[in-house]
Amino acid sequence: MSKEIQQHLERAIEISPEYAAAHFELALMLANDGKDKKARKHFEKTIEINGDDANSHFHFALLLQGMVEHELSREHFLRAIELDQNFANAYYHLGLLLRDLEEYEEAKNNLEKATDVDQNHTLAYYHLGKLLTDPEDYDTARKNYMTAIDIDPGFIDAHYYLGKLLSGGLKNDNDGTLVQEPDNKGARTHYEKAIELDINYAKAHYNLALILTKQEEFELARKHFEKAIDINGEYAKAHFHLALLIKTTLPIKKKTAPAKKKNS
């Protein structure tokens, strides 16, 4: 089917070489098939014919991002936004690109803009939450994770990373002192939800086991450490903390006094 579609698109371009829409559709198909170099030529032709189409710049930017041409990708995301200032996905993907380039403040700004434009942009809230790591951003990060979960209650990673945030508490950025106690009860709820949604989420089992250990639910903690190891036998931290748990909960053996020798 896709081969037939491609043949007709190519024929349309052969008949009318300046057919921008045909170049664009063919570029999308080629990109989807992993034929990046061929797709690039048709995106470039699309933009050459019609440089004012925000969608063409956006999809070309996505292709360039995948080809690790970051600066050129940034240019086309920005051009897409210039042409359509309500292009939520352009802000979102530019935010991810800037995150990868370690330009964190600009990344946050673009992810925030994505949520301003589209208040149901689940992934933008989630990735913004992950970027908000400063102590003063603790509540904002929590709200972003919660919003992502409100929009999509089945968002497994949002539950997991909200659990991580809550179980870590809030520490002073200067001296590391604890400003807010960890919310282990809340964290436990979200780890359990992540596991309910994906029984093979090893990191959720491991982190839940840590909380259960603190709550002295040792038998249940052991089960979750063991499950994490069943899923990922190379999980060093799970092996280590399971060893500590076993050591801690071993029954204490009473030392018996040596038997006295009988006088002969």
Side-chain angles (χ1 to χ4, degrees), residues 25-51:
E25 289 298 329
L26 183 54
L28 289 178
M29 178 174 286
L30 291 166
N32 191 52
D33 289 342
K35 298 174 181 176
D36 293 348
K37 290 182 180 179
K38 289 182 179 180
R40 178 175 188 155
K41 289 179 182 178
H42 288 283
F43 277 129
E44 288 172 339
K45 187 63 178 177
T46 304
I47 291 167
E48 179 188 321
I49 298 164
N50 181 13

Side-chain angles (χ1 to χ4, degrees), residues 228-263:
I229 291 165
D230 284 343
I231 298 163
N232 178 10
E234 304 299 311
Y235 205 149
K237 287 184 177 179
H239 283 287
F240 174 73
H241 283 281
L242 178 55
L244 291 184
L245 176 63
I246 294 168
K247 179 183 176 181
T248 303
T249 56
L250 278 175
I252 300 171
K253 292 182 179 179
K254 293 182 179 180
K255 291 183 179 179
T256 55
K260 293 182 179 180
K261 291 182 179 180
K262 291 182 180 180
N263 293 326

Side-chain angles (χ1 to χ4, degrees), residues 38 64 72 74 81 90-91 137 162 177 191 212 225:
K38 289 182 179 180
L64 292 166
L72 193 54
R74 185 205 303 246
I81 290 166
Y91 289 110
D137 292 329
L162 178 54
T177 56
Y191 288 141
L212 292 166
F225 280 134

